[in-house]
Amino acid sequence: MGLQDFIFGRTDKQRAKRAEKIRQKFGSDPELTPIMLEVLTKANDVPDETKIALYKEAVPAGADPTRVSLAFQLEESLHQVAVLFPDGLSIFTRKHGKQKNGEPHPITGAQMPFWGIQSVEIRTLQNADTALIVSGSDGKQPYRLAYLNTDAKEIKSFAEDLEAARKADAQRRAERPRVNIDSSLSPEEQLKALQQMREMTNMPDDAYEAAVRKIKESQTTWE
C-alpha cells in the first residue's frame, strides 16, 4: 500500500471503517435491498443523499448489483454512480445543488445491457480525471456515456470487472439454445408464437427480449 492507496481509502482499515459507516447510515433504508446494501458497503466512498438517489435509480427493480463506484466531478459539480450487474451496466449523473426553481437537477444516464455495448475505453482527461467511456446502441439509437473519477486505479479496477462480467454474460448466452421462429409468419404471428414458446419452455427473459428485438427489427422488411 502506497500514499495513493491511503489518499483514496484503499487500506483494509479504511475499507472496514467505511463499510461500517455505510451500514450505520443506510442500513435501515427500506428502498435498499440486502444485496444493494452489501454491495454499497464495498464502494470506494461513503455516499451522500444525492449519490444514494442515483444508486437507487441505477438499479432496476428486481436486479442485483455486483459492484458500485461513486464519484464527484469537481470541475462541473457532478455526482456520478456506475453500477455493475451480471448482465449490464448503469451510469447515472446529477449536477450538485438545485435549479433556480428550487428543485434538484434532473438525473441523467442509462441502464445498458451488455448485448448493446460495443466499446469500452479508458481515457485520462486534461484535468487529470480518468474517464470510463462506454459506447453502444439500445437497438433504436446509439449512446455514449462517461463515468469520471479522480482515482485512476478505481476506474481501471471497475473496467476489469466490467470486462469479466461481459465475457461471462457472453458465455452464458452462447450456451443457451437458439430461438427459431418461422419467418414466413407475420411479425404479429411470430410474437404470438414466441410468447407461447416462452410459456412452454420457461425461456430466460433476456433470450425472450433478444428474440422480440429481432422480430421487431425485421418488421419493416416484412412489410
Side-chain angles (χ1 to χ4, degrees):
M1 287 287 179
L3 179 59
Q4 287 292 309
D5 294 304
F6 180 79
I7 291 173
F8 289 110
R10 291 193 288 255
T11 68
D12 291 342
K13 186 176 181 179
Q14 287 171 313
R15 290 178 188 274
K17 186 176 181 179
R18 183 163 60 242
E20 182 58 29
K21 186 178 293 185
I22 289 172
R23 287 192 181 94
Q24 291 177 357
K25 191 173 182 180
F26 301 106
S28 60
D29 189 327
E31 296 183 65
L32 294 179
T33 66
I35 291 179
M36 287 177 67
L37 179 62
E38 182 60 27
V39 170
L40 187 63
T41 63
K42 300 174 184 176
N44 57 312
D45 197 3
V46 177
D48 56 16
E49 294 300 330
T50 300
K51 292 186 183 67
I52 281 293
L54 288 174
Y55 183 42
K56 293 174 181 177
E57 187 73 20
V59 179
D64 292 332
T66 57
R67 178 169 179 174
V68 58
S69 183
L70 312 171
F72 181 73
Q73 209 272 334
L74 186 60
E75 189 171 313
E76 297 185 30
S77 298
L78 299 177
H79 296 272
Q80 283 196 300
V81 301
V83 186
L84 191 59
F85 305 90
D87 59 356
L89 167 72
S90 290
I91 296 177
F92 279 79
T93 303
R94 169 174 271 172
K95 187 174 179 62
H96 183 71
K98 295 184 178 181
Q99 304 178 77
K100 291 181 179 179
N101 62 6
E103 295 294 321
H105 289 279
I107 292 175
T108 60
Q111 296 160 353
M112 298 164 281
F114 288 151
W115 57 259
I117 294 178
Q118 297 167 354
S119 69
V120 177
E121 307 171 67
I122 295 178
R123 294 185 182 178
T124 301
L125 307 182
Q126 291 183 345
N127 64 0
D129 282 353
T130 302
L132 177 72
I133 303 173
V134 182
S135 303
S137 172
D138 63 5
K140 296 181 180 179
Q141 58 185 5
Y143 59 74
R144 184 178 174 85
L145 294 177
Y147 171 65
L148 282 62
N149 200 304
T150 55
D151 184 358
K153 190 171 182 178
E154 171 69 11
I155 289 286
K156 182 179 179 181
S157 173
F158 191 92
E160 290 172 349
D161 284 353
L162 169 58
E163 185 60 25
R166 290 179 68 195
K167 288 181 178 179
D169 181 66
Q171 182 63 34
R172 287 192 298 271
R173 291 175 182 276
E175 292 171 352
R176 289 172 182 163
R178 299 189 65 178
V179 178
N180 294 311
I181 302 294
D182 187 352
S183 59
S184 66
L185 300 174
S186 70
E188 292 76 13
E189 291 171 325
Q190 291 182 52
L191 289 171
K192 185 176 180 180
L194 179 63
Q195 180 61 37
Q196 292 174 341
M197 182 183 296
R198 184 188 194 188
E199 293 171 355
M200 294 172 60
T201 62
N202 195 28
M203 184 187 301
D205 289 345
D206 56 352
Y208 171 76
E209 291 164 3
V212 169
R213 286 194 301 274
K214 186 175 181 181
I215 291 172
K216 289 183 176 180
E217 288 170 0
S218 65
Q219 186 168 2
T220 303
T221 302
W222 194 90
E223 293 174 346

